[in-house]
Amino acid sequence: GVQNAMTDFCKTWSDLSTSASTSSNRTAVIEKGKTFADRVSTAATQMQNQITANYDDLKLNVDKVNDITSQIVTLNKNIASLEASGATANDLRDQRDNLADQLSTYTNINVYEDSNGMYTIVSNGNSLVNGINKLNLALSKPTSNATYGVNDYSLQIKETGTAFTAGSGILQAEQDSVVEDKGYIDKLSN
């Protein structure tokens, strides 16, 4: 709708340039200008709402990642305990493998197994799971971004407050969507 409104607005200016004394041409410029401004404003608001929705989704997915890593830690404990007593933990290992597969859809990970059968899961240099210990992801406190009219957030390690880079997966895709939507706002501004 923005492109059409801009085309109509420019056409009314062209019409006005050939017969400026006609009041209907002057009125048309004003009305088409209002329509164009409204379309730009509406599109910008939609992009701002989309950015907010992306951050809301990012928060939900960070919670899912933290839940998955908690489950992996619990399974690590149970697997080590069972296998230390001589029992097999194949079902638990399968569950843990499935959880690691799920986790890989959210962020880039590398999985290592130690001699006790426990997983260490590293994502871009951060050990999200290290045997029976884990790190939690979080969103930063909101930072007001007056340029785009939104609050921005970044991914971080909750325990240290250091930045976390997903590198790939759902978390990265959501951050990329925010950047893309800001690009659309920039285009509207231009």
Side-chain angles (χ1 to χ4, degrees):
V2 172
Q3 185 66 45
N4 290 340
M6 185 169 61
T7 300
D8 290 347
F9 182 51
C10 289
K11 183 182 178 314
T12 59
W13 273 108
S14 178
D15 293 345
L16 183 64
S17 71
T18 60
S19 57
S21 60
T22 309
S23 69
S24 63
N25 286 348
R26 292 192 303 264
T27 303
V29 168
I30 292 169
E31 292 306 313
K32 294 297 181 178
K34 287 178 183 177
T35 301
F36 175 57
D38 181 59
R39 296 281 164 82
V40 169
S41 177
T42 299
T45 299
Q46 289 171 338
M47 290 295 99
Q48 290 168 328
N49 291 341
Q50 182 62 39
I51 290 168
T52 300
N54 284 334
Y55 281 132
D56 290 343
D57 288 345
L58 186 60
K59 168 72 171 99
L60 292 174
N61 285 313
V62 163
D63 291 343
K64 289 177 186 177
V65 166
N66 290 336
D67 181 56
I68 290 169
T69 56
S70 292
Q71 291 179 57
I72 291 172
V73 166
T74 300
L75 287 168
N76 273 345
K77 290 177 189 176
N78 294 340
I79 290 167
S81 176
L82 274 173
E83 291 181 351
S85 67
T88 60
N90 291 338
D91 288 343
L92 297 178
R93 285 177 171 275
D94 289 344
Q95 289 176 33
R96 185 180 62 188
D97 288 343
N98 287 335
L99 289 169
D101 286 342
Q102 286 178 32
L103 186 61
S104 73
T105 66
Y106 290 94
T107 186
N108 177 40
I109 64 168
N110 292 307
V111 180
Y112 307 96
E113 186 173 1
D114 68 15
S115 60
N116 295 326
M118 290 196 202
Y119 273 2
T120 296
I121 299 178
V122 178
S123 179
N124 298 312
N126 297 290
S127 293
L128 296 180
V129 174
N130 189 359
I132 59 171
N133 299 307
K134 69 177 267 262
L135 294 174
N136 291 292
L137 298 182
L139 290 183
S140 66
K141 291 185 180 186
T143 304
S144 179
N145 187 333
T147 301
Y148 297 102
V150 296
N151 285 326
D152 281 324
Y153 301 85
S154 60
L155 282 174
Q156 57 184 222
I157 303 293
K158 185 176 183 179
E159 290 79 4
T160 63
T162 57
F164 175 79
T165 303
S168 64
I170 294 169
L171 299 180
Q172 186 64 49
E174 288 173 339
Q175 290 178 308
D176 292 346
S177 290
V178 168
V179 171
E180 185 177 0
D181 289 343
K182 287 179 178 178
Y184 290 133
I185 291 173
D186 289 339
K187 287 179 182 178
L188 285 171
S189 178
N190 289 339

